[in-house]
Amino acid sequence: MSAFSAIGEDREIERDEFTPGIEPQATWCPGCGDFGVLKALKQAMPEVGRNPDEIALFTGIGCSGKLNSYFNSYGFHTIHGRSLPVARAAKLANPDVEVIAAGGDGDGYGIGGNHLIHTARENHDMTYIVFNNEIFGLTKGQTSPTSPKGHKSKTQPHGSAKSPIRPLSQSLNAGATYIARTAAVNPNQAKEIIAEAIEHDGFAHIDFLTQCPTWNKDAKHYVPYTDIQQSDDYDFDVSNRQEAAEMMFETENKLYEGEVLTGRYYVEDERPSYGEEKRQIGEMPDDPLAERYFDEDAEWERTYDNLLEHHK
Amino acid sequence: MTDNELIWRIAGGSGDGIDSTSQNFAKALMRSGLHVFTHRHYPSRIRGGHTFVEVRAKDEPVQSRGDGYNFLLALGDSFARNPQDEAYYGKEELKPLYENFDDLREGGVLVYDEGLLDDEDVAEIGLEEAAEENGWHLVPMDLRGIAKEHGREIMRNTAGIGATAAILDIGTEEFETLIEENMSGDMLEANLNVLQDAYEAASELDVDHDIEVPESSHDEEQVILSGSNAISYGALDEGCRFISGYPMTPWTDVFTIMSQHLPEFGGISEQVEDEIAAAALALGASHMGVKSMSGSSGGGFALMSEPLGLAEMTETPIVLVEAMRAGPSTGMPTKPEQADLEHVLYTSQGDSARVVFAPANIRECYTQTRAAFRIAYEYQIPAIVVYDQKIQGELRNLPASHFDEEPNADPGSVLTEAEIEEAAHHASGKFKRFQHDPEDGSNVSPRSVPGQKDGRYLATGNEHNEEGHISEDPENRIAQMERRLQKLDDIRADLDENADHQTYYGPEDADYGILVWGSQQDTVFEAVDRLNENGHSVKALGVSDMAPYPVEQVSEWLDSVDEALVVEMNATAQFRGLTQKEIGKYGDKLSSLLKYNGNPFEPAEIVDGFETSINGEDLAASNMKYLPAAGD
């Protein structure tokens, strides 16, 4: 029997399998957009077709980090902004496991911004869902990197002088190969995008707009939204980097002007994932590294046999 | 300086091939049957500046760099700054000559490259006068000219080796063999010619000196390597197949060695954006069941504080290497110090628990890195190997058989799927990854890894219940906290039983003791020999387990002496403080000899420091500090 018999199991996967048998205490506020992410994620799972044991979910800190408690899979609730580097190594250590990372806008675009740039740049094969509610939630409503300019909070009482970050453009520039924005108020689109992102072989970044009814009541502009793929007004080729960049730029301006555009912005299927690149240049083994520790026939070399000669 | 030893110093500018030449010289001497030890001194500068390496050779195992030296090969700095800078920097090309005057012993030999250094300049620095005063044998040679004649100017170092071989009458055979092993084609031929020419030129000079190169032969096959090599090989033999890091001196050495060898061992190396990511990646790989490591030096290790705490709370095993250099902040990047001890012991928030080993030499770098992996993975706890810039770069020979050990790929307390099936699960189906009371009473709650059937759990840096869910339940908190902390007691017992890392030295019934940790240990041992020869009654204890601290062993030893001097390379007596804190007494028995000028202790300094401090006199030397006993 393989050390990882859960991997590659051939059967129907049910949405309910991802609900923990006994619900942990709910700590998201009533009406929180994070419920929408959870729902979309669970709904996407039957389409993805992977069982809970072969999924590893890495979260950061904040309300988004509680996702692990409500989603029944292997979980790692890491530290603020650091879910991506932990997740990256997990994928390299066992590429057969499906790796999903999630975080908030403060977590992913603020404290973890550097990690996002490098994870996108390297095009690791994983999905990153950012719960973007334009506010710090769990620390009680401070201005976040996606809060609009002029946003007033207890830490920026005069209104923020900073322009919000442009997460989609940033990921595109860094090298992500699947970039989309969706919203909790649009469950069907959200489900489709999550399923696509997970199946995508490369770094998929989903900016997931979520409402924060407790700290960010102003963010009503998430409704109504327009799906750019379904609108005749926005005709562009999602595989064309130039066109995608222009669309993203336009969208990221409009995000704070009432109309919210969502959908897929960039999908590139040609570029190999980072693990594949590493394998090609001989920097990564063909078989999952994690398997070897369970393989009784694995041969473990001694440095004495290999390296000492050089020092004699 | 003791008789019958050679301490050969090669000096030049960074980039002049000082390091590689010294490595070859040391290896050649080792092959000829001698025991060798190298000491490396270099500035934080890529090209130029004053850099030197000493090679000490004896007919018995060498414990330290020794005191001073008796042969200088001054190549001059070929990367000196341009003449316009002279007013500020002085004549830099001369530095490798005059900056080495202080420690060259009476009757020593001084070979310098008059091809590079201007005679008038040399006259200005008072070389002739200094030579007369100290009985030095001056050997000006046109090494650059010889090099240029057969190849390129950079081969000045090969010419220097040829000259050294002739003056010391040790022949060129071993050097030729080494050159042949490392080069081919025109380069090989040119270097052999330069070597031979310089040898012949120097043979004609007939330098009349008293240096006797000892003769010896090893009774078993030797290897020569650095502490960084030994740490890397220990990790590889322990089944480490993942490393992540960010370059920082002197940690870069281990990172580089591992990165070069991991692919051939089927492993993965990742250079990442910062040290937070580096430690986080090591955690991610370990979470998946792969034995992994990361590391840094002081400032980079500071960034790892947060992932280190996460490893403790989630009980994810990792090994971190901390290669100390002089601080605070970026400090002196290429100079050794032992001032990060408290940093590695206490960094990260909360009542955190980690294991810290401080290997004292290259031999221990290998064995204790292996111990660090074994303990980390068996007990699911981060283990730190702390060493310093001194051991990182120094080369020493030891029997090859020291590394003739079987690999240990066992990832410790990871369950197989069959075992998970039998293990305790919560009613929700979640695996009880963090059981309060593990069945075998070991405080180690075995783990599953993602991909295993029915092993699902949540790893979180928040306090959590048995299946990993975040919990602030007071009773659960106590149970988890106790279990995590009690692992340290179990580890202490394990180490006492299986890996006694403390090293006792000198006569058991001695009146005085010297307590030491890390890289200064073997220098202290050499000083202890000299002190006993001088009529003192001294023994030493080298402590390598920093956490959990070997309270019983050190207490017993301290009980047996009247007083003890704690020798360490920092300004605030950190190890002495740790010892007093852990044992809770002996504050009136422990005094300190401290050095923090960027250079490690020499044995003679410890002898001086011991004699003056024990006699109650003030230290004459300004490069050290004596801190008297201060009570508990």
Side-chain angles (χ1 to χ4, degrees), chain B residues 469-484:
Chain B
H469 284 301
I470 295 171
S471 166
E472 292 183 354
D473 173 69
E475 280 175 28
N476 172 73
R477 162 70 173 180
I478 293 171
Q480 296 290 21
M481 200 70 198
E482 290 293 314
R483 186 177 57 74
R484 285 192 299 264

Side-chain angles (χ1 to χ4, degrees), chain B residues 305-359:
Chain B
S305 169
E306 208 188 3
L308 175 70
L310 181 64
E312 291 167 10
M313 196 51 150
T314 58
E315 299 178 67
T316 309
I318 46 164
V319 173
L320 297 176
V321 171
E322 216 268 37
M324 295 181 286
R325 65 192 215 185
S329 193
T330 29
M332 297 198 281
T334 63
K335 300 289 181 274
E337 203 166 80
Q338 296 180 293
D340 292 351
L341 176 60
E342 291 177 348
H343 182 46
V344 299
L345 286 171
Y346 308 126
T347 189
S348 192
Q349 67 272 35
D351 289 320
S352 58
R354 81 282 312 257
V355 180
V356 181
F357 296 132

Side-chain angles (χ1 to χ4, degrees), chain B residues 489-551:
Chain B
D489 297 335
D490 304 340
I491 292 167
R492 183 69 263 152
D494 181 322
L495 289 171
D496 286 345
E497 199 175 318
N498 298 308
D500 189 355
H501 291 160
Q502 285 53 255
T503 315
Y504 297 84
Y505 196 84
E508 234 175 88
D509 59 351
D511 300 332
Y512 289 100
I514 302 183
L515 194 61
V516 62
W517 71 285
S519 67
Q520 303 311 294
Q521 175 189 289
D522 291 7
T523 314
V524 161
F525 289 175
E526 185 168 345
V528 163
D529 286 341
R530 294 195 205 173
L531 284 163
N532 285 318
E533 278 165 28
N534 295 352
H536 290 285
S537 171
V538 192
K539 63 180 176 179
L541 175 59
V543 182
S544 289
D545 298 343
M546 300 291 109
Y549 194 83
V551 170

